[in-house]
DNA sequence: GTATTGACTTCAT
DNA sequence: AATGAAGCCAATA
């Protein structure tokens, strides 16, 4: 059998799915919420591993300053921009205003994550 | 065992 | 604003 995703990776996926429509979060933020402080890079890696079949909203995850993780003009960046704007998120010059669209997890979503 | 890599973050120029 | 170094840590080689 090929490699299975680790528990950490699965926890990251679960956390990413908790990001609501029309909001964005940073890699570091996802790592923290997933109970993995300091694993921002692992978050990026995990998103790359995620199969399309699970419809993971990977495009809602940005760098800490609100910039897209991909180089401006790249095919991936364009696709991410399109997907975000599809959710009423404004992307300008490869960036999103975190002040307007940054996700602030509230109690209800924290509980949902702890649920399982 | 060490070395390198990466969809990162922070601090210093 | 832009760029680079250092810190970071799991996965790979």
């Amino acid at each position: 059998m090929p490699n299975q995703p680790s528990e950490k990776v699965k926890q990251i996926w679960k956390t990413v799915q908790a990001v609501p429509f029309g909001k964005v979060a940073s890699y570091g933020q996802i790592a923290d919420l997933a109970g993995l402080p300091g694993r921002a890079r692992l978050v990026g890696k995990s998103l790359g591993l995620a199969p399309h079949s699970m419809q993971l909203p990977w495009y809602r995850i940005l760098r800490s300053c609100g910039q897209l993780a991909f180089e401006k003009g790249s095919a991936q960046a364009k696709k991410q921009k399109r997907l975000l704007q599809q959710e009423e998120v404004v992307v300008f010059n490869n960036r999103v205003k975190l002040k307007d669209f940054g996700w602030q997890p509230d109690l209800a979503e924290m509980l949902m994550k702890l649920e399982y």
Side-chain angles (χ1 to χ4, degrees):
Chain A
M1 282 288 281
N3 309 333
Q4 286 185 352
S6 68
E7 289 303 319
K8 291 172 186 171
V9 168
K10 287 194 251 180
Q11 181 59 43
I12 288 169
W13 288 345
K14 188 175 180 59
T15 305
V16 170
Q17 285 182 328
V19 180
F21 181 99
K23 293 291 177 181
V24 299
S26 76
Y27 292 90
Q29 186 180 0
I30 292 300
D32 288 348
L33 293 173
L36 301 166
R39 276 43 160 213
R41 308 189 83 141
L42 183 59
V43 172
K45 194 84 95 170
S46 303
L47 294 185
L49 292 175
H52 279 76
S53 58
M54 72 191 307
Q55 299 180 315
L56 198 71
W58 58 269
Y59 49 85
R60 293 183 191 145
I61 311 306
L62 317 171
R63 293 193 181 171
S64 61
C65 58
Q67 239 182 355
L68 304 197
F70 301 105
E71 186 184 358
K72 185 185 178 199
S74 69
Q76 290 270 38
K78 288 180 185 175
K79 177 160 57 177
Q80 184 170 15
K81 175 178 179 181
R82 179 172 55 76
L83 289 166
L84 285 171
Q85 293 185 329
Q86 212 170 293
E87 301 197 348
E88 305 169 9
V89 175
V90 178
V91 180
F92 175 72
N93 199 19
N94 220 54
R95 304 177 108 184
V96 171
K97 285 188 184 181
L98 290 182
K99 194 175 178 209
D100 296 338
F101 301 104
W103 177 43
Q104 320 246 17
D106 63 24
L107 194 52
E109 325 206 56
M110 291 295 287
L111 291 177
M112 161 208 150
K113 188 171 74 64
L114 295 176
E115 178 182 345
Y116 187 80

